[in-house]
Amino acid sequence: MSMRFDTALLHGSFKGDEATGATLIPIYQSSAFGQKTAEEIEKIFRNKAPGYAYSRISNPTVASFENRITYIEKGLASVAVSSGMAAIALTLLNISKAGDEIISKSSVFGGTLDFFKDIEKLGIKVHIVENITKEELEPLVNNRTKAVFAETIGNPKLDITDVKAAADLCHGFGLPFILDNTTATTYILRGIDLGADIIINSSSKYINGSSNSISGVITDSGNFKWTEEKYAVMGEYLKLGKFAFTAKLRNDTFRNFGSCLSPMNAYFNSLGLETLSLRMERHCENALLLAEALEGKEGVREVNYPLLKSSPYYDRAVNILGGKGGGIFTLRLYTKERAFAFINSLKYAVNITNIGDTKTLVIHPSSTIYAHSGEAEQAKAGVYEDLIRVSAGIEAIEDLKEDFLSALNCINEKLPPGGGRYV
């Protein structure tokens, strides 16, 4: 009997600790695991027997979290890592080498753009496109191109990727489509069902839900057909067919880079996962209601949220995301000075560089998470010096409305949009 999503979060590929009857997986806070004989540990290291030897390679608490993610994503296997950025880095480095090329949408997280600059120093070229269309991809794809990368909902541009169309196009070029689904989560969109080959989540965000753990997770669909002609870098793992990507990741790239997830953080993520659907429902609801309350108000240049009728992505939010716009919206307040003053006037929202917390969070992206991006890069990512990103929490919506409208009234009085300085 198949489980519905809410049930799968609690019971999918998970039974707690059968030895003790505990309903939660124990925290195996151990760096290494002893074996009875030298022969046994040799088999584990050579992947000829199941078991645990060293937590940099695998750990029971982490494995439990990985299995639960794989189940809800409908994937083949998952590898949990130390951060969302580690997940992106290891995924791309697992399939490419110097001389290879990657194509990415421009509307991606600032840290991802910074990483692209780093791998270009290693000889991996990254082409940036505004949209994943035949017209934009065709001039760029060649025999060195190894993958196409995008976010489901751009952070913070909030453009929506047509995942099925993008995946079909990539497959037509013989390329895997890698989807960062952090902002949507599998609650809103199951990327593998729509053709995405590899799903990346910064599980520090909505999966965790409480801003207590940095982590990321990579889920392989097992559907892409890796070939020796195109992906010679995967070497001996190609003979494993649909397991090739994860086998190389687990036993080579991930293992040797040492970007392992701690057992404690895996435990916190598993706790958060169990309430993902309840929180996401409230995040989406509050984001829409708060965006609607601010749109058109004096002193607000623009409010951007996919489910606002004014959004160019409204139809995609309805048809692709099932009427869920995610938990993030942005607003522009004419000047950087007004944006700073607004953030400083808020009572409940926390000024912090994160999304997906139970609490409402705000940040000025241009001066923080996009501080290393040029003006043109920022504009392509939907970042402007008067823009504020809001991650709607699960507080009472009336309290949030009062807080945001009060802050807006305050800056309108002290620093009108037409000029003057904040005092």
Side-chain angles (χ1 to χ4, degrees):
M1 182 174 66
S2 63
M3 302 179 202
R4 291 170 177 81
F5 186 76
D6 289 3
T7 306
L9 290 174
L10 296 167
H11 301 285
S13 192
F14 177 71
K15 294 183 179 179
D17 182 30
E18 294 183 351
T20 64
T23 58
L24 297 172
I25 191 73
I27 304 169
Y28 289 91
Q29 194 66 35
S30 179
S31 58
F33 300 85
Q35 305 298 328
K36 293 181 180 179
T37 66
E39 288 80 5
E40 287 180 29
I41 200 166
E42 180 189 33
K43 289 178 181 178
I44 292 171
F45 265 84
R46 293 183 178 275
N47 300 314
K48 294 183 178 180
Y52 302 94
Y54 196 52
S55 279
R56 174 169 61 79
I57 302 169
S58 60
N59 175 282
T61 312
V62 177
S64 174
F65 172 62
E66 292 169 338
N67 292 339
R68 297 177 79 169
I69 290 292
T70 300
Y71 190 91
I72 64 170
E73 292 282 6
K74 295 186 178 179
L76 175 71
S78 296
V79 177
V81 298
S82 56
S83 69
M85 284 309 309
I88 293 170
L90 294 175
T91 296
L92 296 180
L93 292 174
N94 199 50
I95 60 174
S96 57
K97 65 181 187 309
D100 288 340
E101 300 179 7
I102 304 293
I103 298 173
S104 171
K105 279 187 74 173
S106 58
S107 55
V108 296
F109 173 60
T112 304
L113 291 175
D114 291 343
F115 170 71
F116 290 161
K117 295 172 186 176
D118 289 334
I119 61 173
E120 288 199 334
K121 296 173 186 175
L122 300 177
I124 300 172
K125 174 67 177 176
V126 181
H127 297 283
I128 303 297
V129 297
E130 188 171 351
N131 296 293
I132 299 176
T133 63
K134 183 178 180 181
E135 291 72 24
E136 293 206 48
L137 262 59
E138 201 163 42
L140 300 175
V141 173
N142 56 61
N143 60 7
R144 298 182 299 277
T145 310
K146 292 299 181 283
V148 177
F149 176 87
E151 294 182 1
T152 307
I153 305 174
N155 172 17
K157 188 175 182 179
L158 303 182
D159 58 323
I160 296 172
T161 299
D162 186 335
V163 175
K164 187 178 188 309
D168 289 346
L169 180 61
C170 293
H171 296 158
F173 284 114
L175 297 171
F177 180 47
I178 301 171
L179 184 68
D180 186 330
N181 201 34
T182 299
T183 47
T185 78
T186 189
Y187 167 79
I188 293 178
L189 181 138
R190 270 200 172 109
I192 290 175
D193 282 352
L194 296 176
D197 299 292
I198 297 167
I199 303 294
I200 291 173
N201 278 285
S202 174
S203 42
S204 318
K205 313 299 190 293
Y206 292 103
I207 288 173
N208 175 273
S210 297
S211 290
N212 60 34
S213 304
I214 297 295
S215 56
V217 60
I218 305 161
T219 302
D220 179 14
S221 70
N223 295 329
F224 188 76
K225 293 179 174 58
W226 308 96
T227 64
E228 184 173 2
E229 179 183 11
K230 184 80 172 177
Y231 296 95
V233 68
M234 298 183 72
E236 62 181 295
Y237 297 103
L238 289 168
K239 66 185 179 184
L240 299 177
K242 66 180 182 179
F243 293 98
F245 175 85
T246 297
K248 181 175 184 291
L249 180 66
R250 175 72 70 184
N251 296 292
D252 187 335
T253 314
F254 160 76
R255 180 186 190 125
N256 296 334
F257 269 80
S259 302
C260 56
L261 179 61
S262 76
M264 180 67 76
N265 286 355
Y267 175 82
F268 285 140
N269 287 345
S270 293
L271 285 180
L273 191 64
E274 297 190 351
T275 59
L276 176 63
S277 61
L278 298 176
R279 288 182 287 103
M280 285 303 296
E281 183 176 352
R282 187 62 170 267
H283 288 307
C284 292
E285 179 184 8
N286 278 0
L288 174 59
L289 293 174
L290 194 51
E292 287 177 335
L294 290 164
E295 189 177 33
K297 290 292 187 292
E298 181 186 356
V300 176
R301 179 175 182 175
E302 178 185 78
V303 177
N304 181 21
Y305 183 68
L307 273 180
L308 291 176
K309 296 290 180 62
S310 57
S311 170
Y313 300 100
Y314 175 79
D315 289 342
R316 288 191 176 187
V318 172
N319 299 320
I320 296 174
L321 303 185
K324 301 290 186 183
I328 303 170
F329 72 91
T330 63
L331 66 156
R332 297 182 64 184
L333 298 175
Y334 290 100
T335 67
K336 176 181 178 181
E337 194 173 14
R338 280 173 53 83
F340 274 30
F342 181 84
I343 289 172
N344 295 341
S345 299
L346 291 169
K347 178 180 178 182
Y348 296 123
V350 183
N351 182 20
I352 193 171
T353 176
N354 198 21
I355 61 173
D357 198 331
T358 50
K359 303 174 184 65
T360 295
L361 314 175
V362 294
I363 195 71
H364 180 255
S366 179
S367 62
T368 56
I369 54 180
Y370 283 85
H372 304 295
S373 299
E375 187 175 337
E377 287 179 311
Q378 289 191 13
K380 288 181 180 179
V383 175
Y384 306 94
E385 85 167 6
D386 68 331
L387 181 132
I388 296 170
R389 185 189 70 186
V390 181
S391 173
I394 62 173
E395 298 96 339
I397 187 59
E398 293 305 324
D399 288 332
L400 292 179
K401 287 181 181 179
E402 290 174 7
D403 189 18
F404 275 69
L405 292 174
S406 175
L408 181 61
N409 290 335
C410 178
I411 66 164
N412 283 343
E413 291 178 4
K414 296 182 178 181
L415 192 62
R421 293 190 56 80
Y422 181 75
V423 293

